[in-house]
Amino acid sequence: MREKIIHKASELFLTLGFKSVTMDDIASAMGISKKTIYVHFNNKTKLVEAVTFHLFDTICDGIDDICEKAPNPIEELYSIKMFVMHHLKNEQSSPQYQLKKYYPQIYDALKYKQFEKMHASVQESLEEGVKTGVFRSSIDVDFISRMYFTGMTGIKDNMFFPSEQYQMNYLMESYLEYHLRAIVSEKGMTILNNFINNQS
């Protein structure tokens, strides 16, 4: 039952936002009593925390799977972007923003975990790219992986990129291309251009 509650709450939080969804909404959507939810979660904050880290673990597992199967680091990054967008429902209700505003401690803990995961994952991908000649050998792998995380976090900031002006898919797509064009070798540029042309 705990897993079912987390699953349904994830759907509702991502679609409607962490603040908007009440415990009553979740109980009603599941056809159970609110008491049943409180058996597993003392309060809404505990449920938000469980949902947040469950989503994080699910996305991490998916990213690891993509990294194992991707033909090259360029397509790997695009596949990860598609996977994350699908899982976060295009962030139509700005769940990250609501998490930051209403549950700052959970947001900070999540951000740290995201950084650790992305930093390690991107670093590995960059090293593989350098080794296979897709990325320039002169790049500073640690610096670039930190910059990548900062950029990906920055484009989600509504103050800089208002959602009424920028679609999240456009931002992620544009940032990815910007990031890759800065680090690819000639060989990588050919792969990137072919990939982008085949997508359009």
Side-chain angles (χ1 to χ4, degrees):
M1 179 51 77
R2 181 185 163 84
E3 291 305 309
K4 284 180 182 170
I5 294 168
I6 288 175
H7 182 72
K8 179 50 75 178
S10 300
E11 270 180 32
L12 293 171
F13 286 148
L14 286 178
T15 309
L16 304 168
F18 287 104
K19 173 71 174 158
S20 320
V21 177
T22 65
M23 296 296 245
D24 282 315
D25 294 332
I26 297 162
S28 170
M30 292 185 72
I32 58 174
S33 73
K34 203 159 61 167
K35 271 185 187 167
T36 309
I37 298 176
Y38 284 117
V39 167
H40 300 278
F41 303 97
N42 292 342
N43 51 48
K44 187 180 168 186
T45 302
K46 288 288 179 199
L47 178 57
V48 167
E49 187 176 48
V51 164
T52 301
F53 293 114
H54 167 74
L55 280 168
F56 174 78
D57 289 339
T58 303
I59 287 171
C60 285
D61 289 346
I63 288 173
D64 289 343
D65 193 46
I66 288 166
C67 292
E68 275 178 39
K69 294 173 182 167
N72 60 65
I74 291 171
E75 290 184 48
E76 176 183 296
L77 280 177
Y78 277 98
S79 297
I80 289 171
K81 181 208 75 125
M82 291 301 294
F83 174 77
V84 171
M85 291 292 287
H86 171 72
H87 263 273
L88 296 182
K89 316 260 191 210
N90 295 323
E91 302 208 351
Q92 64 213 51
S93 58
S94 306
Q96 290 252 22
Y97 170 76
Q98 289 201 6
L99 198 62
K100 184 179 182 179
K101 188 173 180 184
Y102 300 107
Y103 301 95
Q105 283 180 306
I106 298 173
Y107 175 82
D108 288 342
L110 174 69
K111 195 170 177 184
Y112 183 72
K113 279 171 81 83
Q114 284 176 329
F115 171 69
E116 280 189 317
K117 172 66 183 173
M118 200 188 270
H119 183 50
S121 173
V122 171
Q123 221 169 356
E124 208 174 294
S125 175
L126 289 169
E127 283 162 1
E128 179 64 22
V130 168
K131 199 165 78 181
T132 55
V134 174
F135 299 146
R136 296 195 321 275
S137 57
S138 58
I139 65 170
D140 181 335
V141 167
D142 183 63
F143 172 74
I144 299 281
S145 61
R146 289 171 188 273
M147 282 297 292
Y148 183 72
F149 178 79
T150 309
M152 272 297 185
T153 311
I155 60 173
K156 290 176 181 168
D157 191 319
N158 212 45
M159 186 173 85
F160 302 126
F161 297 99
S163 53
E164 58 275 10
Q165 197 177 336
Y166 292 100
Q167 290 266 314
M168 185 50 70
N169 194 47
Y170 170 80
L171 286 171
M172 287 184 86
E173 197 85 24
S174 302
Y175 180 68
L176 251 186
E177 187 176 341
Y178 169 81
H179 161 76
L180 286 167
R181 287 197 184 280
I183 60 172
V184 288
S185 61
E186 276 187 49
K187 176 184 173 182
M189 187 66 83
T190 304
I191 294 170
L192 178 61
N193 286 334
N194 286 342
F195 183 77
I196 290 170
N197 291 336
N198 289 335
Q199 296 292 98
S200 53

